[in-house]
Structure formats: structure tokens, C-alpha cells
DNA sequence: CCATATAGTCAAGATACTTGACGACTTTGC
DNA sequence: GCAAAGTCGTCAAGTATCTTGACTATATGG
């Protein structure tokens, strides 16, 4: 079963899933590194996933739970961390005594601005590496894929 | 700071990083679901990441650690789990008393075969959804991106 | 043989989630 | 009004997937 190995290593996978995963990981690593360099050391992948669902104008925590499609306890814990870092703040909802409004602090808005700038820089680097035509084709394919996917079975996670 | 929200939800992001992440997550979810349906309930994303680095002919654990670019303790724990599931087996290396050879069991090889089949099915579904041309352009862009990336700064993780 | 490096393991801790239970508040039906 | 039922956020505990640190066993070069 085991013969002459480590003489010749087997090739790495080369299917869509692996390529997408690699590209996604690379992008995230580049983004996170740039964010840390920009002084946002609190930035992590999990927090980014949540922040992407918090509009600049704020959002009710319950709505955030629905949008982010993770358990409300996970959202709770992530918000606890972000609040402790001073990135977001939770204020009572004046229209519903049960609710909380999640909004950005000055520090959070600064981070968003830096994030937008970094995204553009990374995108620019991609265009330089693979050319505008390939890049446009990439975005077109990804967008189309996403649209056709949403049209089919909708995979909203059933939150508790 | 907080005005009329939940009347109009802000649009979701639309940059390369987010698209890649979405597409990658969707692929993984589809693959994992199909694997579970095929009877491989032990299949998880983390284990998949490691299995992708184990050639069918087996590999020395030290070489696997280097290839997978995660800590040797993480590899250890993942292998413990996979071994407990009966997917892989660790045999002593006859050429080095310190080493272990990680190889697939019959069950593991069966899973690999099913995995390959499922990958082709998913790929076929993608082509149906976005067309052969867009799909080829997607793969071309991802491959080029990866190549140009490797040519630049090489990001091998420093394993302990 | 001994010093040093390498291969694998054991233990403990961090992060990012999960389910379950609960108290505070609002809405609904009568 | 007001009690039943639903919603909102929280507290507590557990799981999966990593990490760093410390250790044992084996190999190798002089």
C-alpha cells in the first residue's frame, strides 16, 4: 500500500471549489494584514463577517441576527467583543424597550473607511496581476453564479 | 446618529473578496451536504482541508504537516479524529523509527472516490447555471491569480 | 557515546461558533 | 385592563478547530 513516496509528491487539487477556497483565503489574509497594518489590530475574519452586515446607519440587533444568519448567541458574543474594542456601541431602542440598536463608534467608522480603501487597493493589485479583462470576467462569473444560486434553493440558515 | 433604519436595509457588499467568500462557502456547503448524503457523515470542512493534502499512496506525517501549513498539533488532532472514524490509518515508517506513515483505509478511499464524483457533479451544475464560457473564464482567472500570487510573496506558514 | 536535530505526542488555552434556559418587554385576544 | 403568547437580548455551558509550550523517542554526525 505504501511504496516509494516522498520521492514524488502528488499534485494539489485543481477543481472549482479548491480554487475558490484558495482565492478567498488569500484575499482575506491580504485584507486582514492590511487592516492590522492600518492600526486595526482587533480585526478578525469572524468580526469582519458580522461587520459586513451592520450598515453605517446602525441596525437593530434582532435584524442583524437575521441578516448574518448565525445564532443570536454568536452575534451576541461577537458584538460583546466589538463593543469592548470600542468599534460598535449598543443603545436602547427608543421604539421598543426590548431591542438594542447596534451602531458604529467613531473608531468603527474610521475602520470602515480604511477597509474600503484597502479593498480598492487589493482589487487594483488583482487587475495588475491578471489584467482587467480576466478580472471583469471573474466578477461577472461570480455575480452570475450567485444570482442563479439565489434563484434556486434559498439557503437562509434557520436561526434559533 | 441613528435615524430611520429597518425601513430600508443597506445593500450587501459587492467586492471581489466578498464574492469569492460567498462562492467558496456555497461550494463547500454543497459538497459537504452531498458527502453526508453519500453516507460520509464524518466529513467536515477542516478534515477536508487536511485530506486534500494526503495523496492516495500515503504520506509521512511530517511531510503532511509541511504541506498542510498548519501546526503539527492541529494535524495531529485532525488525524486522531480521522483515524477514529476509520478513514485513515497511521503505520510506523519502516525506514525511520520516529516517523509514521499516514494512509487511507478502504473506507477513506471510498470517500475519495465519492468526493471526486461529487466535485464533477457540482462543476457540471455550475456550467449549467452560468454557461461553459463563463465557467472557463472563472477557472482561468482563478488559476492565473494563484500563479501570479505564488510568483510574488510566498506565504508558506511557519510551522512550529 | 554524546550532542543535537527531527518526529510525534500530551496538555492547556484561544477563537468562533453551537444549543438550552431564562428574564424583560411587547403585542394580542378577550 | 389583563393574562397568554411571542419577541429580544442575555447567561451558561458545550463543541470544533485551531494555537503555543513542554515533553519523549528516535536518528545522525562527529
Amino acid at each position: 500500500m505504501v511504496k516509494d513516496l516522498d520521492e514524488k509528491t502528488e499534485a494539489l487539487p485543481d477543481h472549482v471549489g479548491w480554487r475558490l477556497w484558495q482565492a478567498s483565503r488569500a484575499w482575506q489574509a491580504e485584507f486582514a494584514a492590511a487592516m492590522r497594518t492600518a492600526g486595526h489590530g482587533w480585526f478578525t475574519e469572524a468580526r469582519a463577517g458580522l461587520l459586513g452586515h451592520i450598515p453605517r446607519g446602525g441596525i437593530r440587533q434582532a435584524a442583524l441576527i437575521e441578516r448574518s444568519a448565525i445564532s443570536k448567541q454568536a452575534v451576541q458574543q461577537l458584538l460583546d467583543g466589538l463593543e469592548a474594542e470600542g468599534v460598535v456601541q449598543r443603545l436602547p431602542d427608543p421604539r421598543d424597550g426590548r431591542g438594542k440598536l447596534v451602531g458604529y463608534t467613531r473608531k468603527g467608522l474610521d475602520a470602515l473607511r480604511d477597509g474600503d480603501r484597502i479593498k480598492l487597493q487589493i482589487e487594483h493589485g488583482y487587475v495588475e496581476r491578471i489584467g482587467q479583462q480576466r478580472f471583469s470576467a471573474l466578477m461577472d462569473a461570480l455575480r452570475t453564479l450567485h444570482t442563479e444560486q439565489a434563484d434556486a434553493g434559498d439557503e437562509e440558515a434557520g436561526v434559533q
Side-chain angles (χ1 to χ4, degrees), chain A:
Chain A
M1 168 175 291
V2 176
K3 26 188 181 188
D4 42 28
L5 31 103
D6 50 27
E7 324 286 1
K8 180 191 297 186
T9 347
E10 209 165 279
L12 283 171
D14 183 31
H15 50 84
V16 220
W18 187 77
R19 292 287 179 191
L20 287 171
W21 181 80
Q22 283 282 112
S24 176
R25 292 298 296 254
W27 190 93
Q28 277 165 17
E30 194 173 347
F31 186 76
M35 283 295 276
R36 277 191 299 272
T37 301
H40 309 289
W42 51 268
F43 188 88
T44 68
E45 184 179 334
R47 286 169 171 176
L50 189 65
L51 289 176
H53 290 287
I54 304 176
R56 278 181 161 76
I59 188 174
R60 293 194 48 210
Q61 188 164 323
L64 179 56
I65 288 161
E66 191 182 358
R67 284 186 70 179
S68 60
I70 55 178
S71 73
K72 61 179 175 181
Q73 293 89 337
V75 171
Q76 176 91 9
Q77 290 165 22
L78 287 170
L79 285 179
D80 286 349
L82 287 169
E83 202 171 20
E85 294 286 351
V87 177
V88 303
Q89 55 189 347
R90 277 184 278 199
L91 302 171
D93 187 341
R95 289 175 299 183
D96 189 336
R98 300 167 300 179
K100 295 277 179 74
L101 291 173
V102 180
Y104 290 101
T105 60
R106 165 66 70 86
K107 182 177 175 182
L109 291 171
D110 285 351
L112 284 192
R113 197 200 50 226
D114 283 351
D116 286 344
R117 179 177 50 80
I118 291 168
K119 282 170 201 159
L120 288 178
Q121 285 176 353
I122 294 179
E123 195 159 310
H124 189 249
Y126 278 26
V127 172
E128 275 190 340
R129 288 216 297 270
I130 69 176
Q132 179 65 54
Q133 196 172 349
R134 272 203 192 88
F135 183 81
S136 299
L138 173 66
M139 288 299 286
D140 174 49
L142 290 175
R143 285 203 189 96
T144 311
L145 196 58
H146 185 245
T147 309
E148 299 296 320
Q149 212 152 18
D151 289 355
D154 202 311
E155 81 298 357
E156 290 297 331
V159 196
Q160 182 187 334

